[in-house]
Amino acid sequence: YATPGKLEDIHKRFREHTAAIFAKHGMTVVGFWGPVYKKDGSENKLVYMMSFKDRAERDAKWREFASDPEWKKVAAESEANGKILEKTESLFLYDTGYAPVK
């Protein structure tokens, strides 16, 4: 969730920096989405999905990403005029075995 009024700053950071830094660390982004109907704070929401073989891989790659000097610089610069990220939520999903997309 972006800080109110800062969603475009989040989009810009992903578009111009974050996605490339994820790729540098071997992190696979499946996609990015925003809600069609904006209500109850969803106007500040960005949803993205990433793929990892397991939780251990996710944790290791996320630690690498978080300690990357380029990421630290980008994060600091993007928040020079105030925080742009209000909160995050993580959800780990399992394959049900019957979904058409794997």
Side-chain angles (χ1 to χ4, degrees), residues 1-73:
Y1 290 87
T3 300
K6 300 284 188 171
L7 184 59
E8 188 49 44
D9 294 329
I10 296 283
H11 287 304
K12 180 179 180 186
R13 186 164 76 181
F14 269 106
R15 196 172 36 250
E16 296 180 6
H17 305 285
T18 310
I21 300 170
F22 281 166
K24 179 171 96 173
H25 291 281
M27 300 166 80
T28 303
V29 176
V30 176
F32 295 91
W33 299 271
V36 172
Y37 303 108
K38 295 170 175 37
K39 62 179 184 170
D40 301 329
S42 68
E43 64 275 3
N44 299 313
K45 189 172 192 174
L46 171 67
V47 176
Y48 64 97
M49 182 180 287
M50 300 180 77
S51 175
F52 300 96
K53 77 176 178 183
D54 56 30
R55 180 88 183 247
E57 179 190 45
R58 181 264 186 199
D59 291 349
K61 288 187 176 190
W62 202 260
R63 277 190 304 272
E64 290 174 17
F65 167 78
S67 64
D68 185 299
E70 180 184 5
W71 166 246
K72 289 180 179 183
K73 180 178 184 262

Side-chain angles (χ1 to χ4, degrees), residues 71-83:
W71 166 246
K72 289 180 179 183
K73 180 178 184 262
V74 165
E77 288 173 354
S78 66
E79 296 196 338
N81 294 319
K83 291 185 61 85

